[in-house]
Amino acid sequence: MTTQKAVPVPAAPTILPPGVSASDFAGAIREFIEILGAENVLTDADHLAPYTKVMVAESEDLHRPAAVIMARTVEQVQKIMAVCNRVRVPIWPISTGRNFGYGSAAPQSAGQVILDLRHMNRIIEVDPVMCTALVEPGVTYQQLKDYLVENNIPLWLSCPAPSAIAGPLGNTVDRGVGYTPYGEHFMMQCGMEVVLADGQVLRTGMGGVENTNAWQVFKWGYGPYLDGIFTQSNYGVVTKMGMWLMPQPPVYKPFSIRYDKDEDIHDIVETLRPLRIAGVIPNAMVFANVMWEAAAIMPRSKYYQGTGTTPDHVLEEIKAKEGIGAWNVYAALYGTKEQVEVNWNIITGAIKASGKGRIITEEEAGETEPFKYRAKLMRGDMTLQEFGLYRWRGGGGSMWFAPVTVAKGSETRDQTELAKKILGEFGLDYVAEYIVGMRDMHHIIDVLFDRSNPEEMERAHACFAKLLSEFGKRGYAVYRVNTAFMDQTADLYGPVKRHVDRALKRALDPNGIIAPGKSGIRI
Amino acid sequence: MKFRPIALAAMLTLGSASSAFASPTGVWRGPNEAWEKVCSRCHLSGVGPELRGRQLPPEYIKQVVRHGFLAMPAFPHGAIDDATLDGVALYVSKSRLNAPVKTAAPAKKS
Ligand SMILES: Cc1cc2nc3c(=O)[nH]c(=O)nc-3n(C[C@H](O)[C@H](O)[C@H](O)COP(=O)(O)OP(=O)(O)OC[C@H]3O[C@@H](n4cnc5c(N)ncnc54)[C@H](O)[C@@H]3O)c2cc1C
């Protein structure tokens, strides 16, 4: 074991940006130090180590950064752009850097310099009247939550499952999702500040209007709406983001519905879609399968000591002994007592009429997991309980396979069958949930594998590639993907989309210095 | 625009005592807060292994935090500064386990 302290900065970093000479890169590092101070320019192995930890099924060497630099101000980011353009150093911006299962903090390709914005962590404004916030990239959900609580501001956040350590800006610009009525985060985003590759600072929406006070209340501004091109992209570095927050409702009523059979997924969707579209169920509810539920409370070794795909009879045993459904719905109601009561009656009526599904209220669930953490997520609270997924098989490997699904029962049945079949071919498990959007569902499958076992890692890689291509053949594609599969995914969206992505890239970042390879986009 | 700025300076002051270089990573008001708001969410809930009462060497704890380990994420200096981490490592190392190991409560049987 090594100790951390007093590691001398190596004369030459071990990895260089592609096409950049050692002496040019050393010059760039010197300039970064001038702009940021030596303590914000990291090149030694110990400081880089945390940024090389990935969960994807590839060697970390393919994603090893050349250095990490940490900016604190917009002006510093502008100056960094100038250096990068001159020396052709690619930078990979991260905000809170917790993109687990999508590439974590590491760049798409080796040799990029990570621009870590974790220190730009000001909550610039929270407007309790308009229910909006304006934050910098380094603000975490925990920090924002603490701010709201300490200032007695009755507003709720919407967070992804690792809420306690992730942050709103990074999550939203990668088009992440949460579980409240505001769960489609990019839809609830309003106004951005972006440093462009040429150093200009763009404010989107109403933000360009001098003396505006509408930046965080009107999304579209005038002319082409631009915010979208700064999400899942590499056209700029987002340095501020506005977002809408949800007023805390007088009554919050989370509940679960348990279904016994795998094929029930069809009826679940058919029963609940109309309620979601009509707003009776207002939140991004989830349908979690047996393994997702089980993983939240125990390792699979409790019931199965073998390797490979967990056999169906074991899952049946887990369902019976642990009281877990084949599918488990989590949804919630928000509003006044009267509103909640009306909607509750509609929901219980619909479930009864459908002839299946057992409703479990918060009172019945008590303090049990996974209900407890689901209830937290549906009110935007802090938790890390879902990391339980990683003790299911162990070994720390994870890639989200997340195809978009039309919220129709027949389609969920087809996708579930296909995914299960392919995962089974590779000895992996179908650990899945559907997160219900406005009309679509994100079919989230955690491709779990033992990353300490090279053979299993290879298998997981092959499995993921096949999932993408087989789903692709049937017209299904993922909403977001990890750094190992960005090009394959971009291909699924067609050559014209790739052409336009590249045309925008060439126009806005002609030297290709920002995050080359993000979403398959390069100059 | 009506600004309600949170004073960055104030936050720095709160954390600066534990911060090696003047870094706003010092949003942690001390090791306790970091333990409570991050580490304990897994290590007191049965998601991650129980660490208390094991006299784990502080150096080992710090190594795992910085490098990650299997499913345990790595925490860079931007997320927790050295001084706060020193405090957390010491706290965990010296902790005792009075209560029995708490695992996640199982779901109710139907
Ligand atoms: C158990 C578990 C459950 C999860 N559940 C969810 C979930 O419910 N919903 C969900 O969405 N995700 C989920 N995730 C995935 C992921 O952890 C979250 O999406 C997380 O919010 C992303 O990390 P971050 O917020 O720190 O963003 P970051 O890692 O900072 O950013 C994400 C990406 O956005 C880009 N980016 C970041 N900042 C900028 C910037 N300033 N300018 C330009 N581009 C930028 C970069 O490409 C970066 O890689 C889960 C992960 C785990 C392990």
Short mmCIF file of all heavy atoms in Angstrom, two decimals, chain A residues 55 92-102 104-106 117 137 141 159-162 165-171 173-179 185 230 233 236-239 386-387 389-390 398 400 433 435 446 479-480 518, ligand 1:
data_model
loop_
_atom_site.label_atom_id
_atom_site.label_comp_id
_atom_site.label_asym_id
_atom_site.label_seq_id
_atom_site.Cartn_x
_atom_site.Cartn_y
_atom_site.Cartn_z
N MET A 55 -16.53 1.66 -14.40
CA MET A 55 -17.31 0.43 -14.21
C MET A 55 -17.56 -0.26 -15.55
O MET A 55 -18.11 -1.35 -15.59
CB MET A 55 -18.64 0.77 -13.53
CG MET A 55 -18.48 1.48 -12.21
SD MET A 55 -20.06 1.87 -11.42
CE MET A 55 -20.26 0.43 -10.37
N TRP A 92 -12.09 17.14 -21.30
CA TRP A 92 -13.32 16.39 -21.04
C TRP A 92 -13.98 17.02 -19.81
O TRP A 92 -13.53 16.81 -18.69
CB TRP A 92 -12.97 14.92 -20.78
CG TRP A 92 -14.15 14.03 -20.49
CD1 TRP A 92 -14.61 13.69 -19.26
CD2 TRP A 92 -14.98 13.37 -21.45
NE1 TRP A 92 -15.70 12.85 -19.40
CE2 TRP A 92 -15.94 12.63 -20.73
CE3 TRP A 92 -15.00 13.32 -22.85
CZ2 TRP A 92 -16.92 11.86 -21.36
CZ3 TRP A 92 -15.98 12.55 -23.47
CH2 TRP A 92 -16.92 11.84 -22.72
N PRO A 93 -15.02 17.87 -20.00
CA PRO A 93 -15.61 18.54 -18.83
C PRO A 93 -16.50 17.60 -18.00
O PRO A 93 -17.28 16.83 -18.56
CB PRO A 93 -16.46 19.65 -19.45
CG PRO A 93 -16.76 19.22 -20.84
CD PRO A 93 -15.66 18.27 -21.26
N ILE A 94 -16.34 17.67 -16.71
CA ILE A 94 -17.26 16.98 -15.80
C ILE A 94 -17.70 17.98 -14.73
O ILE A 94 -17.00 18.95 -14.45
CB ILE A 94 -16.63 15.74 -15.12
CG1 ILE A 94 -15.38 16.11 -14.32
CG2 ILE A 94 -16.32 14.66 -16.15
CD1 ILE A 94 -14.87 15.00 -13.43
N SER A 95 -18.86 17.74 -14.17
CA SER A 95 -19.37 18.65 -13.15
C SER A 95 -19.18 18.06 -11.76
O SER A 95 -18.32 18.49 -11.01
CB SER A 95 -20.84 18.95 -13.42
OG SER A 95 -20.95 19.72 -14.60
N THR A 96 -19.96 17.02 -11.42
CA THR A 96 -19.70 16.32 -10.17
C THR A 96 -19.04 14.96 -10.43
O THR A 96 -18.60 14.30 -9.51
CB THR A 96 -20.99 16.18 -9.33
OG1 THR A 96 -22.11 16.04 -10.21
CG2 THR A 96 -21.21 17.41 -8.49
N GLY A 97 -19.02 14.56 -11.70
CA GLY A 97 -18.20 13.41 -12.11
C GLY A 97 -18.66 12.04 -11.63
O GLY A 97 -17.87 11.12 -11.52
N ARG A 98 -19.96 11.91 -11.37
CA ARG A 98 -20.47 10.63 -10.83
C ARG A 98 -21.29 9.88 -11.87
O ARG A 98 -22.34 9.31 -11.56
CB ARG A 98 -21.33 10.93 -9.59
CG ARG A 98 -20.62 10.95 -8.25
CD ARG A 98 -19.31 11.65 -8.24
NE ARG A 98 -18.64 11.55 -6.95
CZ ARG A 98 -17.75 10.61 -6.64
NH1 ARG A 98 -17.40 9.69 -7.51
NH2 ARG A 98 -17.20 10.59 -5.45
N ASN A 99 -20.77 9.83 -13.09
CA ASN A 99 -21.55 9.23 -14.17
C ASN A 99 -21.37 7.70 -14.20
O ASN A 99 -21.03 7.11 -15.23
CB ASN A 99 -21.13 9.86 -15.51
CG ASN A 99 -22.32 10.03 -16.45
OD1 ASN A 99 -23.46 9.73 -16.09
ND2 ASN A 99 -22.05 10.48 -17.65
N PHE A 100 -21.64 7.07 -13.08
CA PHE A 100 -21.43 5.63 -12.92
C PHE A 100 -22.24 4.82 -13.92
O PHE A 100 -23.43 5.07 -14.10
CB PHE A 100 -21.82 5.19 -11.51
CG PHE A 100 -21.20 5.99 -10.42
CD1 PHE A 100 -21.98 6.68 -9.51
CD2 PHE A 100 -19.81 6.06 -10.29
CE1 PHE A 100 -21.41 7.44 -8.49
CE2 PHE A 100 -19.23 6.81 -9.28
CZ PHE A 100 -20.04 7.50 -8.38
N GLY A 101 -21.59 3.85 -14.51
CA GLY A 101 -22.29 3.00 -15.46
C GLY A 101 -22.43 3.64 -16.84
O GLY A 101 -22.92 3.01 -17.78
N TYR A 102 -22.02 4.90 -16.94
CA TYR A 102 -21.98 5.59 -18.24
C TYR A 102 -20.55 6.04 -18.58
O TYR A 102 -20.34 6.72 -19.57
CB TYR A 102 -22.91 6.81 -18.24
CG TYR A 102 -24.39 6.45 -18.20
CD1 TYR A 102 -25.18 6.76 -17.11
CD2 TYR A 102 -24.98 5.78 -19.29
CE1 TYR A 102 -26.53 6.42 -17.07
CE2 TYR A 102 -26.32 5.44 -19.26
CZ TYR A 102 -27.09 5.76 -18.16
OH TYR A 102 -28.43 5.42 -18.12
N SER A 104 -18.33 6.95 -15.68
CA SER A 104 -17.83 7.61 -14.47
C SER A 104 -17.22 8.97 -14.83
O SER A 104 -17.80 9.68 -15.63
CB SER A 104 -16.86 6.70 -13.71
OG SER A 104 -17.52 5.47 -13.41
N ALA A 105 -16.05 9.31 -14.27
CA ALA A 105 -15.48 10.63 -14.55
C ALA A 105 -14.52 10.59 -15.72
O ALA A 105 -14.06 11.64 -16.20
CB ALA A 105 -14.75 11.14 -13.30
N ALA A 106 -14.21 9.41 -16.21
CA ALA A 106 -13.14 9.26 -17.20
C ALA A 106 -13.58 9.65 -18.61
O ALA A 106 -14.75 9.53 -18.96
CB ALA A 106 -12.65 7.81 -17.19
N LEU A 117 -15.12 20.55 -12.81
CA LEU A 117 -15.74 21.80 -12.37
C LEU A 117 -16.34 21.70 -10.97
O LEU A 117 -17.17 22.52 -10.57
CB LEU A 117 -16.81 22.22 -13.40
CG LEU A 117 -16.26 22.42 -14.82
CD1 LEU A 117 -17.40 22.65 -15.82
CD2 LEU A 117 -15.29 23.60 -14.87
N PRO A 137 -21.77 24.15 -11.97
CA PRO A 137 -21.61 22.71 -12.22
C PRO A 137 -21.27 21.87 -10.99
O PRO A 137 -21.69 20.72 -10.90
CB PRO A 137 -20.45 22.66 -13.22
CG PRO A 137 -20.41 24.01 -13.86
CD PRO A 137 -20.90 24.97 -12.84
N TYR A 141 -26.55 17.65 -5.35
CA TYR A 141 -27.94 17.64 -4.87
C TYR A 141 -27.97 17.81 -3.35
O TYR A 141 -28.83 18.49 -2.81
CB TYR A 141 -28.63 16.33 -5.25
CG TYR A 141 -28.95 16.20 -6.73
CD1 TYR A 141 -28.27 15.31 -7.54
CD2 TYR A 141 -29.96 16.98 -7.29
CE1 TYR A 141 -28.58 15.18 -8.89
CE2 TYR A 141 -30.28 16.87 -8.64
CZ TYR A 141 -29.59 15.97 -9.44
OH TYR A 141 -29.90 15.84 -10.77
N CYS A 159 -34.04 13.97 -8.25
CA CYS A 159 -32.66 13.47 -8.32
C CYS A 159 -32.60 12.08 -8.94
O CYS A 159 -33.55 11.31 -8.83
CB CYS A 159 -32.06 13.33 -6.92
SG CYS A 159 -32.41 14.67 -5.81
N PRO A 160 -31.44 11.73 -9.50
CA PRO A 160 -31.20 10.34 -9.89
C PRO A 160 -30.94 9.52 -8.64
O PRO A 160 -30.76 10.09 -7.55
CB PRO A 160 -29.94 10.44 -10.74
CG PRO A 160 -29.20 11.60 -10.16
CD PRO A 160 -30.26 12.57 -9.71
N ALA A 161 -30.90 8.19 -8.77
CA ALA A 161 -30.79 7.34 -7.60
C ALA A 161 -29.55 7.61 -6.72
O ALA A 161 -29.67 7.57 -5.51
CB ALA A 161 -30.87 5.87 -8.00
N PRO A 162 -28.38 7.89 -7.30
CA PRO A 162 -27.25 8.21 -6.39
C PRO A 162 -27.28 9.67 -5.98
O PRO A 162 -26.28 10.40 -6.12
CB PRO A 162 -26.01 7.86 -7.21
CG PRO A 162 -26.44 7.87 -8.63
CD PRO A 162 -27.93 7.85 -8.70
N ILE A 165 -24.54 12.02 -3.95
CA ILE A 165 -23.21 12.44 -4.42
C ILE A 165 -23.19 13.02 -5.83
O ILE A 165 -22.18 13.54 -6.28
CB ILE A 165 -22.16 11.29 -4.31
CG1 ILE A 165 -22.65 10.02 -4.99
CG2 ILE A 165 -21.83 11.00 -2.85
CD1 ILE A 165 -21.63 8.88 -4.94
N ALA A 166 -24.31 12.92 -6.56
CA ALA A 166 -24.35 13.47 -7.93
C ALA A 166 -24.80 14.92 -7.87
O ALA A 166 -25.02 15.48 -6.80
CB ALA A 166 -25.29 12.64 -8.79
N GLY A 167 -24.92 15.55 -9.05
CA GLY A 167 -25.32 16.95 -9.06
C GLY A 167 -26.26 17.28 -10.21
O GLY A 167 -26.26 16.60 -11.24
N PRO A 168 -27.06 18.36 -10.04
CA PRO A 168 -28.09 18.66 -11.04
C PRO A 168 -27.53 19.04 -12.41
O PRO A 168 -28.11 18.66 -13.42
CB PRO A 168 -28.87 19.83 -10.42
CG PRO A 168 -28.03 20.35 -9.31
CD PRO A 168 -27.15 19.23 -8.86
N LEU A 169 -26.42 19.78 -12.46
CA LEU A 169 -25.98 20.22 -13.78
C LEU A 169 -25.46 19.05 -14.62
O LEU A 169 -25.89 18.83 -15.75
CB LEU A 169 -24.93 21.34 -13.67
CG LEU A 169 -24.69 22.13 -14.96
CD1 LEU A 169 -24.33 23.58 -14.69
CD2 LEU A 169 -23.66 21.47 -15.87
N GLY A 170 -24.55 18.27 -14.05
CA GLY A 170 -24.01 17.12 -14.79
C GLY A 170 -25.09 16.15 -15.18
O GLY A 170 -25.15 15.67 -16.32
N ASN A 171 -25.99 15.86 -14.26
CA ASN A 171 -27.07 14.92 -14.55
C ASN A 171 -27.95 15.44 -15.68
O ASN A 171 -28.30 14.70 -16.61
CB ASN A 171 -27.91 14.67 -13.30
CG ASN A 171 -29.03 13.68 -13.56
OD1 ASN A 171 -30.11 14.06 -14.02
ND2 ASN A 171 -28.78 12.41 -13.33
N VAL A 173 -27.32 17.80 -18.05
CA VAL A 173 -26.72 17.93 -19.38
C VAL A 173 -26.46 16.56 -20.00
O VAL A 173 -26.25 16.46 -21.20
CB VAL A 173 -25.44 18.80 -19.42
CG1 VAL A 173 -25.74 20.22 -18.98
CG2 VAL A 173 -24.30 18.20 -18.63
N ASP A 174 -26.48 15.50 -19.21
CA ASP A 174 -26.41 14.16 -19.80
C ASP A 174 -27.83 13.59 -19.99
O ASP A 174 -27.98 12.41 -20.29
CB ASP A 174 -25.54 13.23 -18.94
CG ASP A 174 -24.61 12.37 -19.80
OD1 ASP A 174 -24.30 12.79 -20.93
OD2 ASP A 174 -24.21 11.28 -19.36
N ARG A 175 -28.82 14.43 -19.75
CA ARG A 175 -30.25 14.09 -19.88
C ARG A 175 -30.66 12.93 -18.99
O ARG A 175 -31.37 12.00 -19.41
CB ARG A 175 -30.63 13.85 -21.34
CG ARG A 175 -30.45 15.10 -22.21
CD ARG A 175 -31.38 15.17 -23.39
NE ARG A 175 -31.15 14.15 -24.39
CZ ARG A 175 -30.36 14.31 -25.46
NH1 ARG A 175 -29.74 15.48 -25.65
NH2 ARG A 175 -30.22 13.35 -26.32
N GLY A 176 -30.22 13.02 -17.74
CA GLY A 176 -30.59 12.03 -16.73
C GLY A 176 -32.02 12.22 -16.26
O GLY A 176 -32.70 13.19 -16.61
N VAL A 177 -32.47 11.26 -15.48
CA VAL A 177 -33.85 11.29 -15.00
C VAL A 177 -33.94 11.04 -13.50
O VAL A 177 -33.09 10.41 -12.89
CB VAL A 177 -34.72 10.22 -15.71
CG1 VAL A 177 -34.85 10.54 -17.19
CG2 VAL A 177 -34.18 8.82 -15.51
N GLY A 178 -35.05 11.55 -12.93
CA GLY A 178 -35.35 11.31 -11.53
C GLY A 178 -36.76 10.75 -11.41
O GLY A 178 -37.33 10.27 -12.39
N TYR A 179 -37.34 10.84 -10.22
CA TYR A 179 -38.54 10.06 -9.93
C TYR A 179 -39.72 10.86 -9.42
O TYR A 179 -40.71 10.31 -9.01
CB TYR A 179 -38.16 8.96 -8.93
CG TYR A 179 -37.03 8.10 -9.46
CD1 TYR A 179 -35.70 8.42 -9.22
CD2 TYR A 179 -37.32 7.00 -10.26
CE1 TYR A 179 -34.67 7.65 -9.76
CE2 TYR A 179 -36.30 6.23 -10.80
CZ TYR A 179 -34.97 6.57 -10.54
OH TYR A 179 -33.97 5.82 -11.09
N HIS A 185 -35.52 15.56 -16.26
CA HIS A 185 -34.79 16.74 -15.79
C HIS A 185 -34.55 17.81 -16.85
O HIS A 185 -34.61 19.00 -16.57
CB HIS A 185 -33.46 16.31 -15.14
CG HIS A 185 -33.68 15.53 -13.90
ND1 HIS A 185 -32.73 14.69 -13.37
CD2 HIS A 185 -34.76 15.44 -13.07
CE1 HIS A 185 -33.21 14.12 -12.27
NE2 HIS A 185 -34.44 14.56 -12.07
N PHE A 230 -26.40 21.54 -26.21
CA PHE A 230 -25.35 21.46 -25.20
C PHE A 230 -25.57 20.31 -24.22
O PHE A 230 -24.95 20.24 -23.17
CB PHE A 230 -25.21 22.80 -24.47
CG PHE A 230 -24.82 23.90 -25.42
CD1 PHE A 230 -25.73 24.87 -25.82
CD2 PHE A 230 -23.53 23.94 -25.97
CE1 PHE A 230 -25.38 25.86 -26.73
CE2 PHE A 230 -23.17 24.93 -26.89
CZ PHE A 230 -24.10 25.89 -27.26
N SER A 233 -23.46 16.33 -25.50
CA SER A 233 -22.71 16.80 -26.65
C SER A 233 -21.33 17.28 -26.23
O SER A 233 -20.91 17.13 -25.08
CB SER A 233 -23.47 17.94 -27.34
OG SER A 233 -23.24 19.16 -26.66
N GLY A 236 -19.71 22.78 -26.03
CA GLY A 236 -19.41 23.86 -25.11
C GLY A 236 -19.26 23.32 -23.70
O GLY A 236 -19.53 22.15 -23.44
N VAL A 237 -18.80 24.19 -22.80
CA VAL A 237 -18.70 23.82 -21.39
C VAL A 237 -19.77 24.61 -20.65
O VAL A 237 -19.74 25.85 -20.64
CB VAL A 237 -17.30 24.14 -20.82
CG1 VAL A 237 -17.25 23.85 -19.33
CG2 VAL A 237 -16.22 23.36 -21.57
N VAL A 238 -20.71 23.91 -20.08
CA VAL A 238 -21.82 24.57 -19.40
C VAL A 238 -21.33 25.04 -18.02
O VAL A 238 -20.81 24.24 -17.23
CB VAL A 238 -23.03 23.62 -19.26
CG1 VAL A 238 -24.20 24.33 -18.58
CG2 VAL A 238 -23.45 23.07 -20.62
N THR A 239 -21.47 26.32 -17.75
CA THR A 239 -20.95 26.86 -16.49
C THR A 239 -22.05 27.33 -15.53
O THR A 239 -21.78 27.61 -14.36
CB THR A 239 -19.99 28.03 -16.76
OG1 THR A 239 -20.58 28.90 -17.72
CG2 THR A 239 -18.65 27.52 -17.31
N GLU A 386 -29.42 2.46 -3.71
CA GLU A 386 -29.45 1.66 -4.94
C GLU A 386 -28.09 1.07 -5.32
O GLU A 386 -28.00 0.20 -6.19
CB GLU A 386 -30.04 2.47 -6.10
CG GLU A 386 -30.66 1.56 -7.14
CD GLU A 386 -31.65 2.27 -8.04
OE1 GLU A 386 -31.21 2.89 -9.01
OE2 GLU A 386 -32.86 2.20 -7.77
N PHE A 387 -27.04 1.54 -4.66
CA PHE A 387 -25.74 0.90 -4.87
C PHE A 387 -25.79 -0.58 -4.47
O PHE A 387 -24.90 -1.35 -4.82
CB PHE A 387 -24.64 1.62 -4.08
CG PHE A 387 -23.97 2.69 -4.89
CD1 PHE A 387 -24.42 3.99 -4.84
CD2 PHE A 387 -22.90 2.39 -5.71
CE1 PHE A 387 -23.83 4.98 -5.60
CE2 PHE A 387 -22.30 3.37 -6.48
CZ PHE A 387 -22.76 4.68 -6.43
N LEU A 389 -27.35 -2.66 -5.82
CA LEU A 389 -27.30 -3.42 -7.08
C LEU A 389 -25.94 -4.10 -7.27
O LEU A 389 -25.86 -5.18 -7.85
CB LEU A 389 -27.54 -2.48 -8.26
CG LEU A 389 -28.98 -2.03 -8.54
CD1 LEU A 389 -28.99 -0.89 -9.55
CD2 LEU A 389 -29.82 -3.19 -9.04
N TYR A 390 -24.89 -3.47 -6.77
CA TYR A 390 -23.54 -3.96 -7.06
C TYR A 390 -23.09 -5.09 -6.17
O TYR A 390 -22.03 -5.66 -6.38
CB TYR A 390 -22.55 -2.79 -7.06
CG TYR A 390 -22.98 -1.79 -8.10
CD1 TYR A 390 -23.24 -0.47 -7.77
CD2 TYR A 390 -23.22 -2.21 -9.40
CE1 TYR A 390 -23.72 0.41 -8.72
CE2 TYR A 390 -23.69 -1.33 -10.36
CZ TYR A 390 -23.93 -0.02 -10.01
OH TYR A 390 -24.41 0.84 -10.96
N SER A 398 -20.53 -2.43 -14.23
CA SER A 398 -21.90 -1.99 -14.50
C SER A 398 -21.95 -1.14 -15.75
O SER A 398 -21.17 -0.22 -15.93
CB SER A 398 -22.43 -1.17 -13.32
OG SER A 398 -23.58 -0.44 -13.69
N TRP A 400 -25.23 0.62 -18.00
CA TRP A 400 -26.68 0.74 -18.18
C TRP A 400 -27.00 0.53 -19.64
O TRP A 400 -26.51 1.26 -20.49
CB TRP A 400 -27.18 2.12 -17.74
CG TRP A 400 -26.79 2.47 -16.34
CD1 TRP A 400 -25.77 3.29 -15.96
CD2 TRP A 400 -27.39 2.00 -15.13
NE1 TRP A 400 -25.71 3.36 -14.58
CE2 TRP A 400 -26.69 2.58 -14.05
CE3 TRP A 400 -28.47 1.14 -14.86
CZ2 TRP A 400 -27.02 2.33 -12.72
CZ3 TRP A 400 -28.79 0.90 -13.54
CH2 TRP A 400 -28.07 1.49 -12.48
N GLU A 433 -35.52 -2.17 -14.71
CA GLU A 433 -36.70 -1.38 -14.33
C GLU A 433 -37.12 -0.54 -15.52
O GLU A 433 -36.30 -0.23 -16.40
CB GLU A 433 -36.42 -0.49 -13.11
CG GLU A 433 -35.47 0.65 -13.40
CD GLU A 433 -35.27 1.60 -12.21
OE1 GLU A 433 -35.75 1.33 -11.11
OE2 GLU A 433 -34.62 2.64 -12.42
N ILE A 435 -38.61 3.15 -16.28
CA ILE A 435 -38.93 4.45 -15.69
C ILE A 435 -39.87 5.16 -16.66
O ILE A 435 -39.54 5.36 -17.82
CB ILE A 435 -37.67 5.32 -15.46
CG1 ILE A 435 -36.62 4.54 -14.66
CG2 ILE A 435 -38.04 6.61 -14.74
CD1 ILE A 435 -35.33 5.33 -14.41
N ASP A 446 -29.44 -2.90 -15.83
CA ASP A 446 -28.09 -2.78 -15.31
C ASP A 446 -27.31 -4.05 -15.70
O ASP A 446 -27.55 -5.12 -15.14
CB ASP A 446 -28.10 -2.61 -13.78
CG ASP A 446 -26.79 -2.00 -13.27
OD1 ASP A 446 -25.84 -1.93 -14.06
OD2 ASP A 446 -26.74 -1.61 -12.09
N TYR A 479 -31.28 5.73 -24.81
CA TYR A 479 -31.40 7.19 -24.64
C TYR A 479 -30.07 7.83 -24.24
O TYR A 479 -29.93 9.05 -24.28
CB TYR A 479 -32.48 7.52 -23.60
CG TYR A 479 -32.02 7.64 -22.16
CD1 TYR A 479 -31.82 8.89 -21.57
CD2 TYR A 479 -31.79 6.52 -21.38
CE1 TYR A 479 -31.41 9.02 -20.25
CE2 TYR A 479 -31.37 6.63 -20.06
CZ TYR A 479 -31.17 7.88 -19.50
OH TYR A 479 -30.74 8.00 -18.19
N ARG A 480 -29.09 6.99 -23.90
CA ARG A 480 -27.83 7.48 -23.33
C ARG A 480 -26.94 6.26 -23.23
O ARG A 480 -27.44 5.15 -23.07
CB ARG A 480 -28.15 8.03 -21.95
CG ARG A 480 -27.05 8.55 -21.08
CD ARG A 480 -27.69 9.00 -19.77
NE ARG A 480 -26.74 9.48 -18.80
CZ ARG A 480 -27.03 9.73 -17.52
NH1 ARG A 480 -28.27 9.52 -17.09
NH2 ARG A 480 -26.13 10.18 -16.68
N LYS A 518 -17.51 12.23 -27.44
CA LYS A 518 -18.77 12.26 -26.69
C LYS A 518 -19.93 12.07 -27.67
O LYS A 518 -20.00 12.75 -28.70
CB LYS A 518 -18.90 13.59 -25.93
CG LYS A 518 -20.22 13.77 -25.19
CD LYS A 518 -20.27 13.05 -23.86
CE LYS A 518 -21.63 13.20 -23.19
NZ LYS A 518 -21.76 12.44 -21.95
C1 LIG C 1 -26.92 2.81 -8.50
C2 LIG C 1 -27.01 3.88 -9.53
C3 LIG C 1 -28.23 4.39 -9.89
C4 LIG C 1 -28.34 5.38 -10.87
N1 LIG C 1 -29.56 5.93 -11.13
C5 LIG C 1 -29.68 6.93 -12.02
C6 LIG C 1 -30.93 7.55 -12.21
O1 LIG C 1 -31.90 7.25 -11.54
N2 LIG C 1 -31.02 8.53 -13.16
C7 LIG C 1 -29.93 8.94 -13.87
O2 LIG C 1 -30.05 9.85 -14.68
N3 LIG C 1 -28.73 8.37 -13.67
C8 LIG C 1 -28.56 7.39 -12.76
N4 LIG C 1 -27.32 6.83 -12.54
C9 LIG C 1 -26.19 7.25 -13.39
C10 LIG C 1 -25.36 8.45 -12.87
O3 LIG C 1 -24.72 8.11 -11.66
C11 LIG C 1 -26.16 9.74 -12.70
O4 LIG C 1 -26.77 10.09 -13.92
C12 LIG C 1 -25.35 10.94 -12.23
O5 LIG C 1 -26.20 12.01 -11.94
C13 LIG C 1 -24.32 11.43 -13.27
O6 LIG C 1 -23.24 12.00 -12.61
P1 LIG C 1 -23.12 13.56 -12.28
O7 LIG C 1 -24.45 14.04 -11.87
O8 LIG C 1 -22.01 13.69 -11.33
O9 LIG C 1 -22.76 14.22 -13.70
P2 LIG C 1 -21.31 14.36 -14.36
O10 LIG C 1 -20.60 13.06 -14.26
O11 LIG C 1 -20.63 15.54 -13.84
O12 LIG C 1 -21.72 14.66 -15.86
C14 LIG C 1 -22.22 13.69 -16.73
C15 LIG C 1 -21.68 13.92 -18.14
O13 LIG C 1 -22.19 15.13 -18.67
C16 LIG C 1 -21.20 15.85 -19.37
N5 LIG C 1 -20.95 17.11 -18.65
C17 LIG C 1 -20.89 17.24 -17.32
N6 LIG C 1 -20.69 18.52 -17.00
C18 LIG C 1 -20.62 19.21 -18.13
C19 LIG C 1 -20.43 20.59 -18.42
N7 LIG C 1 -20.30 21.48 -17.44
N8 LIG C 1 -20.39 20.98 -19.70
C20 LIG C 1 -20.55 20.08 -20.69
N9 LIG C 1 -20.74 18.77 -20.48
C21 LIG C 1 -20.77 18.34 -19.21
C22 LIG C 1 -19.97 14.98 -19.42
O14 LIG C 1 -19.98 14.24 -20.60
C23 LIG C 1 -20.17 14.07 -18.21
O15 LIG C 1 -19.54 12.83 -18.39
C24 LIG C 1 -27.18 5.84 -11.55
C25 LIG C 1 -25.93 5.31 -11.19
C26 LIG C 1 -25.85 4.34 -10.18
C27 LIG C 1 -24.53 3.81 -9.81
#
